[in-house]
Amino acid sequence: MAGLRGPQEQLTHPVRRVHIPGSGEAWLVVSREVARAALTDPRLRNDIRHSASWRSDGGHALGRNMLQSDPPQHTRLRKLVAGHFTPQRVAGLRPRVEEIAEELIAVLPRRGTADLVARYALPLPVTVICDLLGVPVEDRTAFHAWSNELVMPTSQEAAAAAATALTGCLTELTGREGTLLGDLAHGPDAPDSDELLGMAFLLLVAGHETTVNLISATLHNLLTHPEQHQLLRDTPDLTEAAVEETLRHDAPVHTTAFRFAAEPLDLAGTSIAAGDAVLVSLAAASRDPLYFPDPDRFDITRRPQGHLGFGHGLHHCLGAPLARLEASVAVRLLLHHRPALALATEPAELTWRTSTLLRGLAALPVRLG
């Protein structure tokens, strides 16, 4: 995205006009103060029908979900699942998350190299969210491939095919009682079929795509900052702090979903017309030098309270407690069992998946010992 050139630009021009490939013109918010204001401004709506350029959903949208809705629909949908993701409920998942991590570590080779994305950072959250949703073991690889295609499409045809396949499987899952989706479908105040499909899709994608990126980014940061890696080995109690600093330093979700001005408004001195698209850069806001001294430095002792890695306001990430738990367990156990872990390639040779919304490593090759 063009339009942001450095910290001074971030401070003096917190709202910039940018061109998003494939989506067109939008306003990009890059400072923390303005980002928090935008994320709580009721005039900025998530429903795409407020967009001046909206014509259709392209033919392969999966239901109606919380991310693309506003109150009161958003409030009702979020309330239906919020109880499944409270800190107390998530804490009860710790033994299962630890079990999955231990199983994945046990099958890693003792020597040589391995890709930690494919062998560890990906299967751990995929297994957890598929457990919760009741996805059969034999379908889990396909589920990830379909959701990945929809988040970062390779072509319109491939995205449409993935949407069709995922719709069929998710629809089947909602008919099974005893799972999160089945209980929603058969419980009081059950959402309609379109809302249930959207809920299933959002939980599946948000429940693993972002956590894969968080786990791999935390490990990448530690392996490319040897002094921080050593500090964590000496002080394992800093594991949660390392995850939190990664959320600030390398936000797995780079920007929010598009928001649209329901009416003309002023944002930090910038006039936004009704129907204009607005993106909030969570990554830039979390490196705002006014709030985070030396913001480009990765420091696990920083205590980065106030970062926007999980968003802010009504759409603050519902799964934040689960993502934090999975990442901290994954990092702590891997470093405990593989203390000689080291990057197996030059950092500049690593490939980051390109997406306006998400940022994550395609692979993380490491030497295991």
Side-chain angles (χ1 to χ4, degrees):
M1 289 182 289
L4 181 63
R5 297 182 177 85
Q8 190 57 41
E9 288 283 306
Q10 186 176 5
L11 297 176
T12 58
H13 297 89
V15 182
R16 303 300 303 266
R17 191 68 168 167
V18 295
H19 178 79
I20 310 297
S23 298
E25 300 296 309
W27 296 102
L28 182 69
V29 179
V30 297
S31 78
R32 182 181 177 276
E33 180 182 2
V34 182
R36 284 172 60 90
L39 292 173
T40 55
D41 193 322
R43 298 170 297 178
L44 291 173
R45 308 286 178 83
N46 282 46
D47 191 326
I48 194 172
R49 287 171 294 186
H50 289 286
S51 168
S53 61
W54 182 76
R55 296 294 180 271
S56 76
D57 59 22
H60 51 264
L62 268 69
R64 299 191 301 274
N65 63 66
M66 292 181 288
L67 187 61
Q68 295 167 310
S69 64
D70 304 298
Q73 182 188 30
H74 170 267
T75 308
R76 176 175 56 82
L77 292 175
R78 188 177 177 107
K79 185 177 179 180
L80 288 173
V81 291
H84 293 273
F85 296 96
T86 64
Q88 295 81 5
R89 192 77 170 264
V90 167
L93 297 175
R94 179 178 290 273
R96 175 58 177 151
V97 176
E98 291 177 340
E99 178 186 28
I100 296 167
E102 294 278 8
E103 290 173 351
L104 292 170
I105 293 169
V107 297
L108 288 173
R110 300 298 306 183
R111 302 287 181 195
T113 62
D115 172 15
L116 283 184
V117 173
R119 299 288 296 272
Y120 192 62
L122 170 61
L124 191 154
V126 166
T127 302
V128 172
I129 196 62
C130 285
D131 278 358
L132 289 173
L133 298 184
V135 179
V137 173
E138 61 272 17
D139 292 338
R140 295 181 180 187
T141 299
F143 262 66
H144 168 69
W146 294 330
S147 68
N148 192 58
E149 178 63 38
L150 289 171
V151 172
M152 289 177 285
T154 56
S155 69
Q156 288 188 343
E157 295 76 16
T164 299
L166 195 53
T167 296
C169 286
L170 290 175
T171 301
E172 182 181 347
L173 287 177
T174 60
R176 299 179 184 177
E177 295 189 48
T179 65
L180 190 157
L181 292 178
D183 292 347
L184 281 176
H186 297 92
D189 303 317
D192 65 35
S193 59
D194 213 27
E195 292 172 337
L196 193 59
L197 178 60
M199 183 83 75
F201 169 66
L202 185 61
L203 291 176
L204 174 68
V205 173
H208 84 275
E209 289 284 358
T210 54
T211 310
V212 172
N213 296 343
L214 177 58
I215 294 171
S216 56
T218 304
L219 293 168
H220 168 267
N221 277 334
L222 292 168
L223 296 178
T224 54
H225 296 82
E227 75 292 347
Q228 299 295 303
H229 189 191
Q230 184 61 53
L231 177 59
L232 187 55
R233 285 201 298 261
D234 295 341
T235 318
D237 288 348
L238 286 173
T239 301
E240 292 181 0
V243 170
E244 211 64 29
E245 173 67 345
T246 296
L247 283 163
R248 184 202 67 81
H249 185 269
D250 280 299
V253 180
H254 254 198
T255 69
T256 60
F258 281 107
R259 301 194 176 198
F260 307 97
E263 60 186 80
L265 61 103
D266 179 275
L267 196 58
T270 298
S271 296
I272 311 293
D276 277 2
V278 176
L279 278 175
V280 177
S281 176
L282 304 178
S286 292
R287 290 200 187 193
D288 188 329
L290 282 179
Y291 290 88
F292 305 103
D294 196 5
D296 296 335
R297 177 171 54 89
F298 178 72
D299 178 7
I300 67 174
T301 68
R302 183 189 293 271
R303 301 293 190 271
Q305 286 85 356
H307 71 72
L308 297 184
F310 285 122
H312 179 65
L314 291 175
H315 290 273
H316 180 270
C317 178
L318 184 68
L322 181 57
R324 285 185 167 110
L325 171 67
E326 291 178 309
S328 60
V329 166
V331 171
R332 176 175 56 82
L333 289 179
L334 183 64
L335 296 187
H336 172 73
H337 288 290
R338 296 290 193 272
L341 196 69
L343 200 60
T345 187
E346 292 298 319
E349 295 179 358
L350 294 171
T351 300
W352 295 83
R353 297 187 296 171
T354 55
S355 166
T356 301
L357 180 64
L358 302 178
R359 183 173 191 262
L361 284 163
L364 183 60
V366 297
R367 292 191 300 274
L368 294 162

